[in-house]
Amino acid sequence: MKINYDNIKVIGFDADDTLWVNETYFREAEIEFGKLLSEYETLNTIDQELFKKEIDNLPMYGYGIKAFVLSMVESALEQSNYNISTKAIEAILNIGKDMLNKPVELLDGVEDVLKIVSKKYRIILATKGDLLDQERKLEKSGLTKYFHHIEVLSDKKEANYSKLLNHLDIKPSEFLMIGNSLKSDVLPLINIKAHAIHVPFHTTWAHEQVTEKETNGKAYKTISSLRDLLQLLD
């Protein structure tokens, strides 16, 4: 599929699992959470109930580690029939603190690509999650100097991106989004006539997964590494 990127003026990069490792830490946290609740439920049930709680809480808490911790606490109380100890609740809070203190591990080629791309395009960080946490990770990453500005969106749907493009004062055809999530970083952009490139990460949160039917006929490119972006923009 031939896609022309000649009109692109602004490129948006997702943050988590596009620039640096993130979802891996959530999977590790879920394992620790399962151990804490193992006397009350099976691991499968613990995982399923936690996921349901996260989804139920999205409209109120949004995305990110803090929202995840609140969902773990609520889920632990309910799954234990409110018998879980205060010590276990403290352990859940510590899981969240450990996640917030994780080092920022850049993915392959990230800084090399940003260094080159930022010379030709205005680039922004377009992510969702907790503002304080995303700012912290960006600062730790050493990548701040490459971005024109940061947009922490409450969600990544068509309306959110349309509002962003109005703020940037550009047409949809002049914007390119790069990210690991088809649901959040690709399909909404295609639906508003902008451009998007998919860079898969090895693990994806269940909420971000889409069906083949949803992607069928959509005009976007998939690359195996961010380094491949340079060839597409050349």
Side-chain angles (χ1 to χ4, degrees), residues 35-50:
K35 292 176 182 176
L36 286 172
L37 289 188
S38 59
E39 66 180 282
Y40 302 106
E41 289 287 359
T42 64
L43 291 178
N44 189 49
T45 297
I46 293 167
D47 284 344
Q48 289 179 349
E49 291 302 314
L50 174 58

Side-chain angles (χ1 to χ4, degrees), residues 19 23 41 84 87 108-109 163 182:
L19 301 182
E23 193 61 26
E41 289 287 359
I84 196 162
K87 188 174 181 179
D108 179 56
K163 185 177 179 180
L182 286 169

Side-chain angles (χ1 to χ4, degrees), residues 11-16 18-20 114 123-128 134-135 137-138 141 143 146-153 156 164 177:
I11 298 178
F13 286 86
D14 173 52
D16 296 333
T18 298
L19 301 182
W20 49 66
L114 293 180
I123 67 173
I124 67 169
L125 189 72
T127 185
K128 61 186 180 185
Q134 294 293 6
E135 288 181 336
K137 286 190 283 191
L138 183 57
S141 74
L143 302 176
Y146 300 113
F147 291 101
H148 183 268
H149 71 276
I150 308 167
E151 288 285 342
V152 179
L153 307 168
K156 283 184 167 180
L164 172 61
M177 183 68 191

